[in-house]
Amino acid sequence: MICPYCGATLPDGSKTCRDCGKPLRPAGSAKTEIVAENLSNAGTTSVFPEETLEKTQILSEGLEPVGPFLGWLVIMEGPDQWKEFHIPADPGQLLVGRGEAADIRLNDDTLSRIHISIRKKDEEFYLTDLDSDSGTRVNGKPVERVKLQDGDRIQIGNTTIAFKIL
């Protein structure tokens, strides 16, 4: 038996790791991890034994349900690397920047408080630079307003964002 936490080799049937002291699961007691996240990154991750869950049961603590979404923005480079933000089914206008008024607030000091907006119109998405100091690039080209395509790379300040639609 191998400790999943520290990698120590242990006798079969061990209940705790003799090296790190963490409790061990008996073989065959799979766990299911349920993670829910809203745009403000609030909430917790809970782990429950799979046998205690019904197939349709969703558990969360202090979270709002995640509604339908059309796509997402993935931070590929920058201070918030690997964070993801859903684009809701009826996004209206999503404001992206470092300020408190932004719908998607990033920790990049080189961004304007409200740097860009993303809007959906007639099943298409449009990005508009909101007179930012450092400008906006999509796929390496400077833009003021552009129609976004699936897979576009948006660069604002020191942050690169992948735009994905369903």
Side-chain angles (χ1 to χ4, degrees):
M1 173 177 221
I2 304 287
C3 174
Y5 304 103
C6 70
T9 302
L10 305 168
D12 287 341
S14 297
K15 296 195 188 305
T16 59
C17 177
R18 64 177 172 223
D19 287 359
C20 69
K22 297 214 177 181
L24 304 173
R25 300 188 310 253
S29 67
K31 295 204 176 214
T32 300
E33 183 174 33
I34 298 172
V35 180
E37 183 175 314
N38 63 19
L39 290 179
S40 64
N41 294 323
T44 59
T45 300
S46 301
V47 179
F48 300 93
E50 189 173 16
E51 60 272 9
T52 66
L53 299 176
E54 294 180 25
K55 296 289 183 201
T56 58
Q57 187 177 15
I58 297 176
L59 302 173
S60 64
E61 297 175 19
L63 297 176
E64 296 175 20
V66 176
F69 63 99
L70 299 174
W72 56 96
L73 302 171
V74 180
I75 309 302
M76 303 303 291
E77 295 177 20
D80 295 298
Q81 187 174 24
W82 304 123
K83 283 189 180 178
E84 295 183 11
F85 301 92
H86 288 137
I87 299 171
D90 184 18
Q93 172 178 258
L94 287 176
L95 300 174
V96 181
R98 66 177 168 81
E100 291 183 21
D103 300 306
I104 297 176
R105 190 171 177 195
L106 301 174
N107 296 309
D108 184 343
D109 292 336
T110 63
L111 298 181
S112 296
R113 285 182 178 87
I114 301 296
H115 200 99
I116 60 172
S117 78
I118 297 175
R119 288 180 178 257
K120 180 179 177 242
K121 181 179 179 187
D122 299 328
E123 304 305 315
E124 296 178 326
F125 288 91
Y126 294 90
L127 176 145
T128 303
D129 181 276
L130 299 175
D131 296 324
S132 65
D133 292 334
S134 60
T136 300
R137 293 179 172 269
V138 174
N139 300 323
K141 297 178 182 172
V143 298
E144 290 182 19
R145 185 169 193 268
V146 67
K147 182 170 93 170
L148 291 172
Q149 304 292 326
D150 183 46
D152 280 349
R153 295 290 177 118
I154 302 163
Q155 185 173 1
I156 53 176
N158 292 326
T159 299
T160 301
I161 304 167
F163 174 75
K164 300 297 293 174
I165 55 176
L166 298 175

